[in-house]
Amino acid sequence: MLANLHNADIPRPVLDVIARLRELNHAVYLVGGCVRDMVRQVPPKDFDVATSALPEEVQRAFRKVIPTGIQHGTVTVVQGGTHVEVTTFRSEGDYLDGRRPSSVAFERDIVKDLSRRDFTINAMAYNPLDRDLVDPFGGQTDLQAQLIKCVGSAFERFSEDGLRPMRAVRFAAVLGFSLDSATRDAIPATLGVFRKVALERVREELVKLLLSPRAEGGLVLLVETGLLDVFLPEVARAAPEEARLARAAVQAAPAEVEVRMAALLADLVDRSQARDIGLRLKFPNKVADLVALLVETAKLEERFADPDPALRRLLARVGLAQLPALLTVARARVQARAPERSAELERLCARLEALAAAKPPLVAKDLALTGGDIMSTLGVGPSPIVGEATRFLMDSVLDDPALNTREALAQRLKDWHAARPKA
């Protein structure tokens, strides 16, 4: 595993920052997720540097430094156009709110810095110049064993930051690892701290879990540890078989957040509940609205016998832009719940795609008559009858798109108006 570290591709600006701090006799290491990923031979998304140098010493060492989080010991060094985050070794005071430490103290010892971290696989440090790996808590061993294990006491780590249990489950899902037994056992005991966590932070972890290759297993862990019941009771308390099928649909769906959320919820809640869940978890309004729409329309197996006008009305309800998302949710559900109906579903999907390709009029602006045309034809000004007439014309063209010409619509409009009861 050390060979993986020694052969890792570390960006030159990062190496330059490390070399400069070493030149000034400061201890300096790469830390956290980048070391974990390099050991696993996975390209890191970013590189975090930790050093014994105090923030003001780091600032003096480089030409361009941004004090991004200087009160917590973090500055960003701009080196060769690259932003390199550098944090002073630190220890932390008591966590009083289940989220952040009451105080931060700067340290000169890397082991003290690593001891405050969440999991052993994230508590390793590596100096690529000296080829020195610091691993006081057995992170390499746990990587080989594919274990998520807390640094020290799991109960203490989870009591410090209520989000850590969720992170443990997310790492298990993303990496395909198991939870160490003591780590797993500490989760139910610290749910009270987890309940204090802002739902924005919970949502971020949930999204990473849902988009992971092993989302189904991650969702099972959320249920078994009691975490899911805290923020998504509608799923946690579903009938076991319905919940299993919902998880299977998530796994079968493409890794897109709206699609996987809709696949999870489509058979467990209705449209209104789905939107409420999205807003409760602090998703953007447009995401909550799309998930709700997909939940409402996902059961395409109920539409196999629908005639074309009904399918055009479905297209009008969903919108052409969202049709691919609807079809992927429907396919995931059928794959999980009734794979023997897949051929029927594909025939319906082909019909929907063909109807969409014909670009039928689906909204009022697609009509051959404008609102002004309608008022002129009826001899009226702005009034409720214009809305009624527009809805009548939309119904007409959804039944038969060939009617969408000025002449045909004008004639239908006159006939409709003549047949209306007079006040």
Side-chain angles (χ1 to χ4, degrees), residues 303-304 311 327 331 340-355:
R303 295 179 172 271
F304 289 163
L311 294 184
L327 300 187
R331 286 177 172 126
E340 70 281 359
R341 305 197 73 183
S342 292
E344 287 178 278
L345 176 62
E346 287 309 313
R347 286 193 289 273
L348 177 63
C349 291
R351 286 181 62 201
L352 283 165
E353 288 171 334
L355 289 171

Side-chain angles (χ1 to χ4, degrees), residues 212-284:
S212 75
R214 290 159 287 270
E216 188 173 11
L219 288 166
V220 169
L221 270 180
L222 288 179
V223 173
E224 291 176 347
T225 55
L227 289 165
L228 194 67
D229 192 55
V230 173
F231 66 92
L232 202 46
E234 297 88 346
V235 177
R237 300 174 192 176
E241 180 62 8
E242 284 300 306
R244 183 190 71 79
L245 291 171
R247 292 191 295 266
V250 170
Q251 192 65 55
E256 300 166 18
V257 64
E258 296 92 344
V259 167
R260 285 199 162 177
M261 276 295 292
L264 177 65
L265 299 176
D267 292 279
L268 304 180
V269 301
D270 62 25
R271 175 193 172 93
S272 175
Q273 291 170 308
R275 186 173 188 277
D276 288 346
I277 287 168
L279 296 178
R280 186 175 75 223
L281 294 179
K282 310 299 183 183
F283 280 102

Side-chain angles (χ1 to χ4, degrees), residues 25-281:
N25 296 317
H26 300 297
V28 57
Y29 295 90
L30 293 170
V31 292
C34 66
V35 181
R36 177 196 70 228
D37 289 343
M38 288 189 293
V39 171
R40 295 176 59 239
Q41 292 185 287
V42 174
K45 293 186 178 70
D46 46 41
F47 291 83
D48 292 326
V49 175
T51 180
S52 60
L54 296 172
E56 56 269 25
E57 293 174 318
V58 178
Q59 287 180 303
R60 288 197 298 268
F62 298 95
R63 191 172 301 170
K64 186 171 182 182
V65 178
I66 305 168
T68 43
I70 199 164
Q71 70 274 24
H72 301 296
T74 300
V75 298
T76 299
V77 176
V78 182
Q79 184 78 15
T82 298
H83 287 216
V84 181
E85 194 169 275
V86 180
T87 302
T88 302
F89 300 158
R90 66 194 195 196
S91 58
E92 297 171 340
D94 292 337
Y95 285 70
L96 303 178
D97 61 358
R99 180 182 175 186
R100 58 173 72 85
S102 55
S103 62
V104 170
F106 297 137
E107 300 286 353
R108 297 290 183 177
D109 179 8
I110 183 61
V111 175
K112 283 191 176 180
D113 182 87
L114 295 176
S115 67
R116 69 182 175 80
R117 295 175 183 266
D118 49 9
F119 310 117
T120 60
I121 62 172
N122 295 334
M124 297 183 286
Y126 178 64
N127 183 310
L129 302 183
D130 300 334
R131 296 193 163 193
D132 176 30
L133 175 68
V134 180
D135 181 16
F137 304 105
Q140 287 183 97
T141 300
D142 291 335
L143 275 178
Q144 287 180 314
Q146 299 191 329
L147 270 184
I148 305 298
K149 181 179 181 181
C150 282
V151 172
S153 163
F155 183 86
E156 289 179 12
R157 295 294 81 74
F158 291 163
S159 297
E160 289 167 349
D161 183 347
L163 191 64
R164 284 174 173 168
M166 186 82 178
R167 281 171 53 81
V169 173
R170 187 258 292 179
F171 274 119
V174 170
L175 300 177
F177 287 11
S178 301
L179 292 182
D180 161 73
S181 58
T183 298
R184 182 178 180 134
D185 290 347
I187 295 177
T190 53
L191 288 177
V193 187
F194 177 63
R195 288 189 178 91
K196 298 178 182 178
V197 177
L199 284 171
E200 291 91 341
R201 300 177 76 209
V202 174
R203 181 206 65 229
E204 288 174 10
E205 294 296 327
L206 175 65
V207 167
K208 291 174 184 176
L209 185 155
L210 285 176
L211 298 184
S212 75
R214 290 159 287 270
E216 188 173 11
L219 288 166
V220 169
L221 270 180
L222 288 179
V223 173
E224 291 176 347
T225 55
L227 289 165
L228 194 67
D229 192 55
V230 173
F231 66 92
L232 202 46
E234 297 88 346
V235 177
R237 300 174 192 176
E241 180 62 8
E242 284 300 306
R244 183 190 71 79
L245 291 171
R247 292 191 295 266
V250 170
Q251 192 65 55
E256 300 166 18
V257 64
E258 296 92 344
V259 167
R260 285 199 162 177
M261 276 295 292
L264 177 65
L265 299 176
D267 292 279
L268 304 180
V269 301
D270 62 25
R271 175 193 172 93
S272 175
Q273 291 170 308
R275 186 173 188 277
D276 288 346
I277 287 168
L279 296 178
R280 186 175 75 223
L281 294 179

Side-chain angles (χ1 to χ4, degrees), residues 4-16 18 30 34 38 44 47 126-129:
N4 297 344
L5 278 171
H6 302 335
N7 297 327
D9 184 16
I10 300 169
R12 171 51 56 188
V14 175
L15 292 172
D16 289 345
I18 292 172
L30 293 170
C34 66
M38 288 189 293
F47 291 83
Y126 178 64
N127 183 310
L129 302 183

